[in-house]
Amino acid sequence: MIEHDLKHLKSQLPSKWLFWKHRRYILALMTFFGFFNAYTLRGNLSIAIVAMTSDRNETLKNGTVINIGPEFKWSNEIQGYILSSFFYGYITTQLLGGYFAKKYGGKIIFGTGIAVTAAATLITPWLANNVYLLICVRVIEGIFEGVTYPSVAGLWSKWAPPLERSGLMMFASAGSYFGTVIALPLSALLAEAFGWRSIFWFFGAVGLFWYACWLYIVTSSPDQDSKISEEELKYIQISLEINTKEEFEKVPVPWKSIASSKAVLAICMSNICENWGFYTFLTQLPKYLKDIYSFDLGTSGFLSGLPYLAMGIFVPVAGQLADFVLTKGYLTVTQCRKTWTFVGFSAQFVFLLAVAFASSEIVTVICLTFAVGIGAFAFVGYYVNPLDIAPQYASIIVGISNTFGTLPGIISPILSGYIVSDNPTVEQWQTVFFIAAGLYIIGAIVFVICASGEVQSWAQKRVPKSNIYGSCDDQSIENKAC
């Protein structure tokens, strides 16, 4: 009966190509630009710090060019602490972001997190002369950006029909990679044309402009949206079989069950392994290209963005492919999540080893591009998984997962700073890549063994009686949810 109603309602909706007539697609687009801004705000420092610590030349009145040294004479160790300081704050609010999104709605939590980060970015140039103040403002940025991913999971738990979860979430999340793609080369251009301070002023202003649009356009749930059509609202509600807010809030969070769940453990471990490689690339790639291949700032900024361009392209493609195989019944949810995660991590392992032994800049850039880009499949696997195993607690699980997943952002830049000396060698950078590659293969093994795509027994109090995916591979759920 429910499947028949869904097909009837879906046939009444406008074509997908008329995306502006679908409010859930508008939400995906706004969330895309939200993540776009979030990653320009967190990633611009990796280019700015190269400009801030590079040698400068000054031309005297008689035409003589002299070297006056870098504006900031920070050692590699100090730079490692500066680059990782964002994550000191980021790790503290992951769980809070998920909890408050569940309680108050994701709109305000997500938007405010990016808005405060943008405002802090605007004032960064005035604080940079004091390394302690610079670290402090980056910590504050991390605190407010820490709520973004968990709060968005809360939004999608109310907006995304199950058969559209992968596609909608991955399109929105692709904004983070396109943000990185734009941030790195554009930061380099801004630094060369107007000085490193312009990087922070530009991206901070853009972030605040997005926030004004977000407040005007987005609502926390479909029933609060005055512009949504009746057909789309019913389609989403029937897909999710939404309970009233009052009934929903009476259900206590099963903290003990979440903490002891193998499925949650698999998500957390995957988050750690993926983010170790991701944050290593994000914070260290411009420096690596400069150290090993002597690229100038503009070239390293452009080449550093290529892997994230690939990731931005692959993420929505992988998401749509996952939805396709689920809709057609080619794979169960569990099989799909495990397959996608294993393929993504295994490919990253192989290409990262290739990077470590590459002998030319062309091979290095190609392998790095594929190592990051194909990682999109892993993201479609473990990142969407909280909505599979516990839809109503997805924001909390994402918060827990991202808390553990932030540790690499803190540890990786500092460890790289100690491994790579002030006179860097190929062997030192190989060690950095070996560590990341090893974690990828560990993540693949753990997820395949422990992950699940079915609603867990402790999350069944608010589970629809029908299985929207049309398949169950967990015998303990079969009698209750199918």
Side-chain angles (χ1 to χ4, degrees), residues 3 36 46 50-51 66 81 129 146 182 195 205 207 210 245 248 256-257 274 294 296 315 373 398 408 433 449-450:
E3 290 184 359
F36 180 97
S46 62
V50 176
I66 61 171
Y81 283 109
N129 286 327
I182 297 299
W210 168 86
K245 182 179 178 183
F248 186 84
K256 185 177 179 180
S257 297
E274 171 63 24
S294 301
D296 59 32
V315 159
V398 171
F433 293 135
I449 293 174
C450 298

Coordinates of all heavy atoms in Angstrom, one line a residue, residues 3 36 46 50-51 66 81 129 146 182 195 205 207 210 245 248 256-257 274 294 296 315 373 398 408 433 449-450:
E3 N 4.0 1.5 -0.9 CA 4.8 1.6 -2.1 C 3.9 2.1 -3.3 O 4.4 2.9 -4.1 CB 5.4 0.3 -2.5 CG 6.5 -0.2 -1.5 CD 7.2 -1.5 -2.0 OE1 6.7 -2.0 -3.0 OE2 8.1 -1.9 -1.3
F36 N 30.6 24.1 0.7 CA 31.6 24.8 -0.2 C 32.3 25.9 0.7 O 33.5 26.0 0.7 CB 30.9 25.4 -1.4 CG 31.7 26.2 -2.3 CD1 32.2 25.6 -3.5 CD2 32.1 27.5 -2.1 CE1 33.0 26.3 -4.3 CE2 32.9 28.2 -2.9 CZ 33.4 27.6 -4.1
S46 N 46.1 26.5 4.4 CA 47.2 25.7 3.9 C 48.0 26.4 2.8 O 49.2 26.1 2.6 CB 46.7 24.3 3.4 OG 45.8 24.5 2.4
V50 N 51.9 29.1 3.4 CA 53.0 29.0 2.5 C 53.5 30.4 2.1 O 54.7 30.7 2.1 CB 52.7 28.2 1.2 CG1 53.9 28.2 0.2 CG2 52.3 26.7 1.6
A51 N 52.5 31.3 1.8 CA 52.8 32.7 1.5 C 53.4 33.4 2.7 O 54.3 34.2 2.5 CB 51.5 33.4 0.9
I66 N 66.6 42.9 -3.2 CA 67.2 42.2 -2.1 C 66.2 41.3 -1.4 O 65.0 41.5 -1.5 CB 67.7 43.2 -1.0 CG1 66.5 44.0 -0.5 CG2 68.8 44.1 -1.6 CD1 66.9 44.9 0.7
Y81 N 51.4 22.8 14.2 CA 50.5 23.1 15.3 C 49.4 24.1 14.8 O 48.2 24.0 15.1 CB 51.2 23.7 16.5 CG 51.9 22.6 17.3 CD1 53.3 22.5 17.4 CD2 51.1 21.7 18.1 CE1 53.9 21.5 18.1 CE2 51.7 20.8 18.9 CZ 53.1 20.6 18.9 OH 53.7 19.7 19.6
N129 N 49.9 38.2 13.7 CA 51.2 38.6 14.2 C 51.5 37.9 15.6 O 52.7 37.9 15.9 CB 51.3 40.1 14.4 CG 51.4 40.9 13.1 OD1 52.0 40.3 12.2 ND2 50.8 42.0 13.0
G146 N 32.5 22.5 13.8 CA 32.3 21.1 14.3 C 30.8 20.7 14.2 O 30.6 19.5 14.2
I182 N 38.3 25.2 -5.2 CA 38.4 26.6 -5.5 C 39.3 27.3 -4.5 O 40.1 28.2 -4.8 CB 36.9 27.2 -5.3 CG1 36.0 26.6 -6.4 CG2 37.0 28.7 -5.4 CD1 36.5 26.9 -7.8
G195 N 48.3 39.9 -1.7 CA 48.9 39.6 -0.4 C 48.0 38.6 0.3 O 46.8 38.4 0.1
A205 N 33.9 37.1 3.7 CA 32.8 37.8 3.2 C 31.8 37.0 2.5 O 30.6 37.1 2.6 CB 33.3 39.0 2.3
G207 N 31.3 33.8 2.9 CA 30.6 32.9 3.9 C 29.4 33.6 4.5 O 28.4 33.0 4.7
W210 N 26.5 33.8 2.1 CA 25.8 32.6 2.0 C 24.8 32.4 3.2 O 23.7 32.0 3.0 CB 26.7 31.4 2.0 CG 26.0 30.1 2.2 CD1 25.5 29.3 1.2 CD2 25.8 29.4 3.4 NE1 24.9 28.2 1.8 CE2 25.1 28.3 3.2 CE3 26.1 29.8 4.8 CZ2 24.7 27.4 4.2 CZ3 25.7 28.9 5.8 CH2 25.0 27.7 5.5
K245 N 6.6 15.7 16.2 CA 7.8 16.1 17.0 C 7.6 15.8 18.5 O 8.5 15.4 19.1 CB 7.9 17.7 16.8 CG 9.1 18.2 17.5 CD 9.3 19.7 17.3 CE 10.4 20.3 18.1 NZ 10.5 21.8 17.9
F248 N 8.2 12.2 19.0 CA 9.6 11.9 18.7 C 10.5 12.2 19.9 O 11.4 11.5 20.3 CB 10.1 12.7 17.5 CG 11.4 12.3 17.0 CD1 11.7 11.3 16.2 CD2 12.5 13.1 17.4 CE1 12.9 11.0 15.7 CE2 13.8 12.8 17.0 CZ 14.0 11.8 16.1
K256 N 23.9 3.7 25.5 CA 24.6 2.5 25.7 C 24.6 1.6 24.5 O 25.7 1.0 24.1 CB 24.0 1.7 26.9 CG 24.8 0.5 27.3 CD 24.2 -0.2 28.6 CE 25.0 -1.4 28.9 NZ 24.5 -2.1 30.2
S257 N 23.5 1.5 23.9 CA 23.4 0.6 22.7 C 24.2 1.2 21.5 O 24.9 0.5 20.8 CB 21.9 0.5 22.2 OG 21.2 -0.2 23.2
E274 N 39.5 7.4 6.7 CA 39.3 8.3 5.6 C 39.9 9.7 5.9 O 40.6 10.3 5.0 CB 37.9 8.4 5.2 CG 37.5 9.4 4.2 CD 38.1 9.2 2.8 OE1 38.5 8.1 2.5 OE2 38.3 10.2 2.1
S294 N 59.5 21.6 -6.1 CA 59.8 23.1 -6.2 C 58.8 23.9 -7.0 O 59.2 24.8 -7.7 CB 61.2 23.2 -6.8 OG 62.2 22.5 -6.1
D296 N 56.0 26.7 -7.7 CA 55.7 27.9 -7.0 C 54.3 27.9 -6.4 O 53.6 26.9 -6.6 CB 55.9 29.1 -8.0 CG 54.9 29.0 -9.2 OD1 53.8 28.4 -9.1 OD2 55.3 29.4 -10.3
V315 N 31.8 12.0 -6.1 CA 30.9 11.9 -5.0 C 29.4 11.8 -5.5 O 28.7 10.8 -5.1 CB 31.1 13.0 -4.0 CG1 29.9 13.1 -3.1 CG2 32.3 12.6 -3.1
G373 N 40.0 11.0 -5.5 CA 38.8 11.0 -6.2 C 38.0 9.7 -6.0 O 36.8 9.8 -5.7
V398 N 26.5 10.5 13.6 CA 27.5 11.3 12.8 C 28.4 12.2 13.7 O 29.6 12.3 13.5 CB 26.8 12.2 11.8 CG1 27.8 13.2 11.1 CG2 26.1 11.3 10.7
P408 N 42.5 12.6 13.4 CA 43.5 12.7 12.4 C 43.8 14.2 12.0 O 45.0 14.5 11.7 CB 42.9 12.0 11.2 CG 41.9 11.0 11.8 CD 41.4 11.7 13.0
F433 N 53.1 9.1 3.6 CA 52.1 8.4 2.7 C 51.9 7.0 3.1 O 50.8 6.4 3.0 CB 52.5 8.5 1.2 CG 52.5 9.9 0.7 CD1 53.6 10.4 -0.1 CD2 51.5 10.7 0.9 CE1 53.6 11.7 -0.6 CE2 51.4 12.0 0.4 CZ 52.5 12.5 -0.4
I449 N 33.8 -6.3 7.9 CA 33.5 -7.2 8.9 C 32.4 -6.8 9.8 O 31.5 -7.6 10.2 CB 34.8 -7.5 9.8 CG1 35.9 -8.2 9.0 CG2 34.4 -8.3 11.0 CD1 37.2 -8.4 9.7
C450 N 32.3 -5.5 10.2 CA 31.4 -5.0 11.2 C 30.2 -4.2 10.8 O 29.3 -4.1 11.5 CB 32.2 -4.1 12.2 SG 33.6 -5.0 13.1

